[in-house]
Amino acid sequence: MKIAKNLFALTPLCAGLCIGSAHATNGMYMEGYGPISAAMGGASQAINHGNAAMAQNPATLGMVADGSSRFDLAIGFLGPDVKSKMMGMDAPSGGTAYIMPAIGYTQRQGALTYGIGVFAQGGMGTEYDANTFLAMGSGGAARSELGIGNVIIPVAYQVNSALTVGATFKYMWSSLDMMMAASGAQLGGMVTGVSGNLGQAMPQLGGAPWARLHFSDDNKFTGSAKATGYGASVGAVLQLSPTVTMGASYQFKSALDDMKTDSNATTLSATGGFADKGRMTIVDFQMPAVWAMGISWQAEPSLLLAADIKSIAWSSTMQNFKMRYDSAGMGGSVSFVLPQNWKDQTVLNLGAAWQANAQWTLRAGLNLADNPIPDAYVNPLFPATVRSHWTLGAGYRISPTDSINAAMTITPNTTVTNVSGVEISHAQRNFQLLYTRQF
């Protein structure tokens, strides 16, 4: 239990590192959690892929021998390549490298498996320089960084020789930085309600060449607007035969509080010297429910095949992105809505693992998904548009107790054009590395 105690001590540090570090692959979710699953296209519902299972199907944590313990330490590198273009003007995003750590510990005693872990769950973001067209001549950069992470407490229970069930409780957090520029008319078009002195001043900003909403703490691992909350999931694994396993899980919609900045951390400004400070509140931002089911087949002693299908209910959480600005200077407030109209997303995960010898395992897979965002509504600050993922990976057993696993994801370029005529392209090169100690 010494490892478990040390993990509890490390949890606050890892939680801080995970806040703003994950970016969009399947919408705002990762294509796979942990390099074993990621290298197999994200397939996870019916295979043993270590402690990352607590972020997917917790019942698979019970697919280990009685009395065994496992400690995982992972790090991911996400490399999005985002470019926006309009009328011959190019705006490459400078947000090209993000680090994503994770840590987990599980132990099986009899029919019960339990543990704790910290994982980045998802997010998205971009960074455009002040000299690009997306800055609207305002003299400031255009930037967003949304991150969602969680501390997970999983439990799995082997009901009988064929059936294992599992569940998790998640303590979640979210954070957001946003530096957005728009014309006064565009900003006015997002306004849904006003009050006080600030509300009376808003019509005067309608003709401004540019206006800005700015809240950022200039920290790569946190955001200026923050919230905490809870989540949960349930899952099951059924051994259909000695070589065929079926699994399924359901992740509940999150219960996060509204994200809020400090009372003077947001600036609302516009052409002509208008500037006011106040608090920004992101109203009812949630991560959606996800259901998934999958099957694995041990086709040969050295060959494992797996396939999952997953449905992500984005339509229940990403119809509108709602914000409220409360002025600390002038008094009053303004409510904004950025229409999103995301659709539910279907994801197909296909993977294979081949054990070449006692030390080496090679993996490959596909992660195929539709784009949840209608092209017309894609915002250059939130381009969660990638579809296909090609995955590769390998595992190496250093000793009977120690191993390392690695995965690489290649996401081909996807290009869409929104209703404003902005062409947005998005590709990714992602890597994950995992060290495991088993007891």
Side-chain angles (χ1 to χ4, degrees):
M1 297 301 292
K2 183 178 180 180
I3 292 285
K5 293 178 181 178
N6 289 340
L7 181 59
F8 274 103
L10 287 170
T11 292
L13 172 61
C14 194
L17 293 175
C18 285
I19 280 181
S21 55
H23 285 256
T25 52
N26 291 150
M28 286 186 286
Y29 282 113
M30 301 297 297
E31 75 275 17
Y33 293 86
I36 297 174
S37 171
M40 297 178 67
S44 64
Q45 296 300 304
I47 65 171
N48 178 11
H49 63 106
N51 293 334
M54 65 182 75
Q56 302 196 92
N57 182 357
T60 64
L61 292 171
M63 299 172 70
V64 296
D66 183 14
S68 64
S69 301
R70 178 177 178 129
F71 172 75
D72 283 347
L73 180 63
I75 189 165
F77 169 85
L78 288 92
D81 181 8
V82 178
K83 297 182 178 68
S84 294
K85 181 186 297 185
M86 184 178 184
M87 299 176 64
M89 298 178 290
D90 292 332
S93 170
T96 58
Y98 300 90
I99 303 299
M100 182 182 65
I103 189 170
Y105 173 82
T106 54
Q107 180 172 346
R108 176 165 176 172
Q109 292 183 337
L112 185 67
T113 305
Y114 56 90
I116 185 172
V118 184
F119 291 85
Q121 185 171 4
M124 56 185 174
T126 51
E127 299 180 18
Y128 300 101
D129 287 343
N131 60 359
T132 63
F133 72 91
L134 290 169
M136 302 288 294
S138 63
R143 176 178 180 266
S144 68
E145 187 168 53
L146 170 68
I148 303 96
N150 34 224
V151 177
I152 307 176
I153 308 294
V155 177
Y157 182 78
Q158 186 175 9
V159 179
N160 53 46
S161 60
L163 177 65
T164 301
V165 295
T168 66
F169 172 79
K170 305 177 183 180
Y171 173 75
M172 300 181 64
W173 60 88
S174 60
S175 70
L176 176 67
D177 284 337
M178 190 166 73
M179 299 155 61
M180 183 181 73
S183 69
Q186 290 172 329
L187 187 69
M190 294 186 290
V191 173
T192 59
V194 298
S195 68
N197 292 333
L198 179 61
Q200 295 177 18
M202 288 303 293
Q204 303 173 26
L205 303 181
W210 61 261
R212 286 183 62 87
L213 289 171
H214 181 124
F215 53 98
S216 174
D217 63 0
D218 298 320
N219 188 312
K220 290 292 184 181
F221 301 110
T222 65
S224 180
K226 300 178 178 67
T228 59
Y230 304 95
S233 68
V234 294
V237 172
L238 182 64
Q239 193 75 41
L240 299 178
S241 75
T243 59
V244 179
T245 305
M246 180 175 289
S249 66
Y250 183 79
Q251 178 173 288
F252 294 91
K253 179 181 173 181
S254 66
L256 288 162
D257 296 332
D258 292 345
M259 284 187 277
K260 295 182 180 182
T261 69
D262 292 340
S263 59
N264 286 286
T266 302
T267 301
L268 172 62
S269 59
T271 312
F274 176 86
D276 185 66
K277 288 190 176 296
R279 165 177 282 139
M280 184 64 75
T281 300
I282 313 303
V283 180
D284 195 28
F285 173 84
Q286 304 295 339
M287 293 297 282
V290 181
W291 73 259
M293 62 184 302
I295 192 166
S296 67
W297 176 37
Q298 195 73 51
E300 300 287 345
S302 61
L303 180 62
L304 175 67
L305 304 176
D308 293 354
I309 189 166
K310 182 185 301 179
S311 180
I312 307 175
W314 294 115
S315 64
S316 68
T317 61
M318 289 297 290
Q319 284 300 300
N320 293 296
F321 192 78
K322 303 174 186 177
M323 302 182 291
R324 186 184 69 250
Y325 173 78
D326 295 298
S327 172
M330 299 180 64
S333 65
V334 180
S335 296
F336 302 93
V337 168
L338 279 70
Q340 300 294 302
N341 290 312
W342 285 33
K343 303 173 294 183
D344 291 348
Q345 185 180 36
T346 300
V347 182
L348 179 63
N349 313 105
L350 301 172
W354 176 56
Q355 187 172 341
N357 54 44
Q359 282 76 44
W360 284 99
T361 300
L362 306 179
R363 304 182 181 96
L366 289 172
N367 179 299
L368 306 173
D370 51 355
N371 179 6
I373 314 176
D375 290 358
Y377 292 94
V378 176
N379 189 307
L381 293 179
F382 303 108
T385 57
V386 294
R387 297 185 178 95
S388 301
H389 305 70
W390 305 80
T391 65
L392 294 169
Y396 180 73
R397 182 166 292 281
I398 303 169
S399 72
T401 60
D402 299 87
S403 61
I404 57 173
N405 287 274
M408 177 178 67
T409 299
I410 299 172
T411 304
N413 187 68
T414 300
T415 300
V416 300
T417 302
N418 68 16
V419 69
S420 300
V422 180
E423 181 184 285
I424 304 150
S425 63
H426 187 177
Q428 290 186 3
R429 299 292 184 272
N430 305 331
F431 302 90
Q432 295 189 42
L433 181 66
L434 169 69
Y435 166 75
T436 296
R437 165 65 67 92
Q438 294 176 291
F439 306 88

